[in-house]
Amino acid sequence: MNKEKKIIPELRFPEFVKDDGWVAESISQVYDFKTTNSFSREYLTFKKGKVKNIHYGDIHKKFSTLFDVTKENVPFLKEEILLEKIKKDSYCVEGDII
């Protein structure tokens, strides 16, 4: 019988050798979910404003996967939108996934 030597790749991530290995978690255990808005384009402007807003239709079509909001042309909510009605924890911060 011919014994073949198994090829085993070099271990790149030794922290995964532990007995517990990978842990399966639901997405809600890893991420916090924020409420979405559904402002139509009529409530957006490129002129000026206090709060930038990415229209839901532009998430996959207009913006790249990783973008810098200071370098992209993201519209503002028009001044007529009452910002007090938007929950503070609904605003995106750096690192958020939309």
Side-chain angles (χ1 to χ4, degrees), residues 2 13 22 34 42-43 51 68 73 81 84-85 91 93:
N2 188 6
F13 303 103
W22 290 92
K34 298 179 180 186
E42 68 183 89
Y43 293 111
V51 174
D68 183 341
N73 192 19
I81 301 295
E84 297 80 28
K85 289 189 174 187
Y91 290 96
V93 296

Side-chain angles (χ1 to χ4, degrees), residues 41 54-62:
R41 293 189 193 281
I54 298 175
H55 187 272
Y56 62 88
D58 293 336
I59 291 173
H60 298 291
K61 294 168 78 174
K62 184 176 179 182

Side-chain angles (χ1 to χ4, degrees), residues 35 39 80-88 90-91:
T35 57
F39 293 115
E80 62 199 63
I81 301 295
L82 297 175
L83 299 179
E84 297 80 28
K85 289 189 174 187
I86 301 173
K87 294 178 185 176
K88 294 294 181 193
S90 294
Y91 290 96

Side-chain angles (χ1 to χ4, degrees), residues 8 12 17 30 49 54 61 64 82 87 92 94 97-98:
I8 301 172
R12 291 177 45 198
V17 173
V30 180
I54 298 175
K61 294 168 78 174
S64 62
L82 297 175
K87 294 178 185 176
C92 291
E94 186 174 349
I97 299 171
I98 59 170

